[in-house]
Amino acid sequence: MADYLDQDAQLMLRFKNGEETCFVELVKLHKQRVFAFAFRFLGNTADAEDAAQEVFIKVYNAAGKYSVKAKFTTWLFTITRNTCLNFLDKQARRSKFVSLDEKPGGQEDSPGLQVADARDLPPVELILKNEQAAAVKQALDSLPETQKTAVLLCRYDDLSYEAAAEVMNCSAKAVKSLLHRAKLGLKEKLENLLKS
């Protein structure tokens, strides 16, 4: 347990004991990393901001039950990952419902089908770049949750295999295996997307 009693854990324990300023310090220390992970996981700024805010609300509410069982960052990234997964579940449920304002058959005056003015379109290079980024995001989103999490933690957040393994509650060898399978899956999915 002494190994896990880093500065973050100490701040959290002090917050648990009533020092509100310690929570503010934890937010300052970790808000960028939490937001960055949520943004990469969810793909847009608004959802990432909402998810990051929800993460810190959960941390705040969990103070009374907090105990040092692992590094604080491991606990925090676990909350962040679970919050992002919950956001994706909510989005999937929302997308199943059709707006009552939309007309059946996709008629032109439907509010959900507005076409941008051609003069507002970016240059061709930007369109191609956006299409490639969208293809990568689509391929990444189609991976199993464990593979996607391993890619985000190791390739985007630059965590070591060991640190990612702590967050994911598995071995470093399992993280390497997940990354290998993710690489193969991404290659196959991107080849198929680029052919179509």
Side-chain angles (χ1 to χ4, degrees):
M1 182 171 134
D3 294 343
Y4 297 129
L5 204 55
D6 56 11
Q7 176 192 3
D8 297 326
Q10 289 175 18
L11 284 169
M12 190 64 187
L13 289 171
R14 287 170 54 200
F15 170 57
K16 178 181 179 178
N17 291 326
E19 291 184 49
E20 292 280 330
T21 57
C22 293
F23 177 74
V24 174
E25 187 64 26
L26 284 168
V27 172
K28 284 180 187 175
L29 288 169
H30 297 287
K31 66 181 177 183
Q32 284 304 113
R33 286 184 79 188
V34 168
F35 171 79
F37 181 87
F39 178 76
R40 289 183 192 110
F41 206 97
L42 300 171
N44 77 60
T45 304
D47 285 347
E49 287 172 349
D50 289 347
Q53 184 175 4
E54 190 171 319
V55 166
F56 286 109
I57 289 170
K58 288 178 179 178
V59 169
Y60 187 93
N61 291 334
K65 298 176 185 174
Y66 180 75
S67 63
V68 183
K69 295 179 182 171
K71 283 187 173 181
F72 176 82
T73 51
T74 302
W75 181 69
L76 182 63
F77 267 109
T78 302
I79 292 171
T80 305
R81 184 190 70 200
N82 292 339
T83 301
C84 290
L85 289 171
N86 289 340
F87 262 73
L88 291 178
D89 287 344
K90 288 176 191 173
Q91 286 175 345
R93 285 194 300 270
R94 268 184 278 169
S95 68
K96 290 181 183 177
F97 296 99
V98 178
S99 170
L100 296 174
D101 296 330
E102 289 184 12
K103 293 187 178 182
Q107 296 173 359
E108 287 184 2
D109 57 345
S110 170
L113 297 172
Q114 297 175 357
V115 179
D117 187 334
R119 293 173 292 189
D120 295 334
L121 292 177
V124 173
E125 295 83 18
L126 187 56
I127 293 171
L128 290 174
K129 186 176 179 179
N130 288 341
E131 286 178 357
Q132 289 171 341
V136 170
K137 181 179 180 340
Q138 183 180 353
L140 187 60
D141 287 345
S142 70
L143 291 175
E145 180 266 322
T146 52
Q147 291 179 21
K148 179 179 178 180
T149 301
V151 169
L152 291 176
L153 291 172
C154 292
R155 299 295 181 244
Y156 288 91
D157 286 320
D158 294 325
L159 293 186
S160 67
Y161 295 138
E162 292 76 18
E166 282 187 53
V167 171
M168 298 179 69
N169 196 26
C170 64
S171 67
K173 186 176 178 180
V175 171
K176 289 180 190 177
S177 176
L178 288 167
L179 287 170
H180 177 71
R181 290 195 310 253
K183 181 179 176 183
L184 295 176
L186 286 171
K187 181 179 177 186
E188 180 183 331
K189 290 171 193 310
L190 288 171
E191 283 175 356
N192 290 339
L193 285 171
L194 294 174
K195 286 178 187 174
S196 55

